[in-house]
């Protein structure tokens, strides 16, 4: 679920993303993501934000929940292509987990094409793919 409020060329957003596992039978993760976006022009925006996340362990495992704090910066470029919209998103993240030794840096690149079912439709065919690249390793390995 996402809430957005435009303020001139700025946009404030808050996203809540619950995640289900085990064939949709068990809630085990929640991410809350506030962000501030600035529209450079009609096609390009830049944003920065924060994510707080919790991942719950399997029931009966005896493990504690895992927490994540994440800062992110992104740039999004959108333009018309044929009858649809093509979107490119580049994002840099600094991820901090409960058991890690410092921030983990990750780069992300997303490409997405959305084509309306028919002219003026609010329903779209969407094709997308995302590349994630871990830039360092902060996990403490047993020695």
């Amino acid at each position: 679920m996402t809430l957005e409020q435009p303020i001139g060329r700025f946009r404030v957003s808050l996203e809540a993303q619950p995640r289900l596992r085990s064939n949709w039978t068990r809630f085990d993760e929640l991410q809350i993501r506030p962000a501030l976006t600035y529209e450079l022009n009609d096609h390009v925006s830049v944003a920065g934000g924060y994510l707080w996340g919790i991942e719950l362990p399997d029931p009966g495992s005896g493990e504690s929940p895992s927490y994540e704090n994440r800062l992110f910066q992104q740039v999004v470029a959108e333009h018309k292509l044929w009858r649809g919209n093509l979107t490119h998103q580049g994002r840099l993240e600094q991820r901090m987990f409960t058991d890690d030794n410092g921030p983990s840096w990750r780069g992300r690149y997303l490409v997405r094409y959305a084509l309306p079912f028919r002219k003026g439709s609010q329903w779209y065919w969407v094709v997308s793919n995302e590349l994630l690249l871990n830039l360092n390793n902060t996990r403490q390995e047993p020695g």
Side-chain angles (χ1 to χ4, degrees):
M1 174 177 66
T2 302
L3 302 172
E4 289 188 339
Q5 177 63 51
I7 305 169
R9 296 188 74 82
F10 287 93
R11 186 174 65 245
V12 177
S13 62
L14 177 63
E15 179 180 341
Q17 190 177 81
R19 295 185 176 181
L20 301 171
R21 302 269 199 272
S22 303
N23 294 325
W24 295 75
T25 60
R26 188 173 73 81
F27 165 76
D28 78 336
E29 190 173 348
L30 176 65
Q31 296 182 344
I32 306 292
R33 182 180 302 130
L36 178 64
T37 302
Y38 181 73
E39 306 287 338
L40 295 174
N41 57 44
D42 291 341
H43 304 284
V44 180
S45 64
V46 292
Y50 168 76
L51 177 142
W52 176 85
I54 182 171
E55 186 172 343
L56 302 173
D58 290 330
S61 70
E63 297 178 6
S64 298
S66 174
Y67 297 94
E68 178 182 2
N69 292 285
R70 182 188 312 174
L71 299 174
F72 67 89
Q73 307 78 42
Q74 74 180 22
V75 61
V76 176
E78 301 175 301
H79 59 90
K80 297 279 186 195
L81 181 64
W82 191 44
R83 295 182 307 165
N85 295 313
L86 183 65
T87 302
H88 303 272
Q89 174 185 292
R91 180 182 283 186
L92 185 61
E93 300 175 333
Q94 300 81 46
R95 307 175 74 199
M96 292 144 287
F97 294 95
T98 305
D99 298 330
D100 283 354
N101 185 21
S104 170
W105 288 69
R106 180 167 74 177
R108 300 173 75 158
Y109 170 71
L110 174 103
V111 62
R112 175 181 181 262
Y113 184 71
L115 178 67
F117 282 173
R118 64 180 184 284
K119 190 173 184 170
S121 175
Q122 293 183 353
W123 293 87
Y124 291 82
W125 298 102
V126 176
V127 176
S128 69
N129 202 357
E130 187 171 22
L131 173 69
L132 290 87
L133 180 63
N134 291 316
L135 303 175
N136 67 338
N137 182 5
T138 62
R139 299 256 178 214
Q140 295 187 17
E141 303 294 333

